Amino acid sequence: MISTKMLMKAERFFIKARTLIRETILSAELTGAEFVPYVQPVYKADKIVGGEVLLRVLKEGVLHSPEKYLSAMESCEVINDVTCSLLSGVKRFFEGYVGDLPNDFYLSFNICARQLNSPRVIEAVTDFNETFEGRIAVVLEIVERGTMNFDDFALESMQQLTTSGVRFAIDDFGSGSSCLKYIEHAGFSTIKIDRCLTVISNGSLVYSTVLDAILMLSKSLGIQLIAEGVETEEQYQQLKQKGVLTCQGYLFSRPVCIEHFAVKYL
């Protein structure tokens, strides 16, 4: 009869082998690829207040969304390499624009919860935050499903970063299984309402009552709301009437390359 100890050892071996295979396949797919930062502006009351930094993969002269690589990257160390590279590149670029930035300007970066266990990622975020202290606030967006993956170390890292001025947002709120207990105590300052909850039909917000509940929650906790996926003026006006004043989406701008963003918005 196979012992539990042997089964656990076999399981660890296969997990390690599977991760290695994923990394090998991913490395082959990304050979010769370049990670390019794009930025989508965020508006509050028709005034730009920040931008979300989005990853694009440039391969053989063609820009690709990272979606096809994301699941594999998040399952191995590659995601930390990409995030650190992105933070470093954006930092170098914006060092030349510090004097041109609007007041209370911020840049947000997408991470998964387990990256808060990476000392390299924490160091890169801290370096970015210290470089632009008082000029560019740093917001880390954690996708809603990622809040289910917090451990004590991740929560401690959040607390340390929050103390230093880094802010956290729950991304795609309303699109998955949210773990609401983290919103109040983990250090989140922002909820980004997923585009699935901001749709319009027959001149009205389809999920009006749900949005009312989210607004009540945000007011009770003192948390900012940002509506994603705002594509029409009608949609924007309906959200403003609700009290959702900060928005991003194609109505304002598609994601643009970082150089275009600086020229057009700063």
Side-chain angles (χ1 to χ4, degrees):
M1 187 174 181
I2 301 175
S3 69
T4 302
K5 186 175 181 180
M6 288 180 65
L7 285 173
M8 291 176 64
K9 186 175 181 180
E11 182 182 23
R12 287 196 297 269
F13 171 80
F14 283 116
I15 289 174
K16 185 176 180 179
R18 184 175 59 191
T19 300
L20 182 60
I21 291 169
R22 284 177 177 170
E23 289 180 345
T24 302
I25 294 173
L26 187 61
S27 296
E29 289 183 349
L30 293 176
T31 298
E34 180 183 351
F35 299 112
V36 181
Y38 267 50
V39 185
Q40 185 172 36
V42 179
Y43 279 80
K44 181 176 183 180
D46 303 318
K47 178 183 177 183
I48 188 169
V49 293
E52 178 181 358
V53 178
L54 298 164
L55 177 68
R56 295 293 181 265
V57 180
L58 180 63
K59 187 174 182 180
E60 298 177 351
V62 179
L63 277 173
H64 301 274
S65 167
E67 292 301 320
K68 64 178 291 188
Y69 310 109
L70 203 55
S71 178
M73 286 196 299
E74 287 184 352
S75 68
C76 56
E77 279 297 307
V78 174
I79 191 65
N80 293 333
D81 297 334
V82 173
T83 298
C84 291
S85 175
L86 201 63
L87 281 159
S88 177
V90 173
K91 185 191 79 168
R92 285 196 304 271
F93 180 85
F94 275 95
E95 281 179 314
Y97 286 88
V98 171
D100 302 316
L101 297 171
N103 292 327
D104 300 321
F105 184 77
Y106 77 87
L107 287 172
S108 65
F109 298 83
N110 294 282
I111 67 169
C112 55
R114 75 176 189 85
Q115 288 186 270
L116 292 170
N117 292 320
S118 167
R120 289 193 300 124
V121 171
I122 300 302
E123 183 179 353
V125 172
T126 301
D127 182 49
F128 191 101
N129 185 51
E130 290 177 349
T131 298
F132 297 108
E133 187 174 6
R135 294 303 302 154
I136 301 179
V138 183
V139 179
L140 298 181
E141 298 188 16
I142 300 177
V143 70
E144 183 189 22
R145 66 179 182 274
T147 59
M148 301 294 290
N149 300 321
F150 286 145
D151 56 23
D152 290 342
F153 190 90
L155 290 170
E156 184 178 341
S157 296
M158 280 188 71
Q159 186 176 26
Q160 291 175 354
L161 288 171
T162 300
T163 300
S164 71
V166 174
R167 305 201 302 260
F168 285 86
I170 294 182
D171 196 16
D172 299 337
F173 186 82
S175 66
S177 301
S178 176
C179 197
L180 293 175
K181 68 179 182 180
Y182 290 120
I183 295 179
E184 182 173 3
H185 297 296
F188 286 102
S189 65
T190 304
I191 291 174
K192 299 191 74 175
I193 306 170
D194 187 72
R195 63 180 62 245
C196 70
L197 295 181
T198 62
V199 294
I200 290 276
S201 179
N202 297 322
S204 300
L205 289 161
V206 174
Y207 298 101
S208 177
T209 304
V210 174
L211 288 170
D212 286 338
I214 295 174
L215 276 159
M216 187 179 301
L217 175 68
S218 71
K219 288 178 181 176
S220 296
L221 298 176
I223 291 176
Q224 179 188 15
L225 288 181
I226 299 176
E228 297 183 291
V230 180
E231 298 183 354
T232 68
E233 184 65 30
E234 179 184 31
Q235 192 182 11
Y236 180 43
Q237 294 303 326
Q238 291 269 354
L239 287 165
K240 284 206 298 185
Q241 288 176 23
K242 280 283 184 189
V244 182
L245 304 180
T246 307
C247 303
Q248 71 180 92
Y250 287 1
L251 174 64
F252 306 102
S253 173
R254 291 175 178 269
V256 295
C257 68
I258 196 168
E259 294 83 4
H260 186 178
F261 180 85
V263 170
K264 185 172 182 180
Y265 298 105
L266 301 183

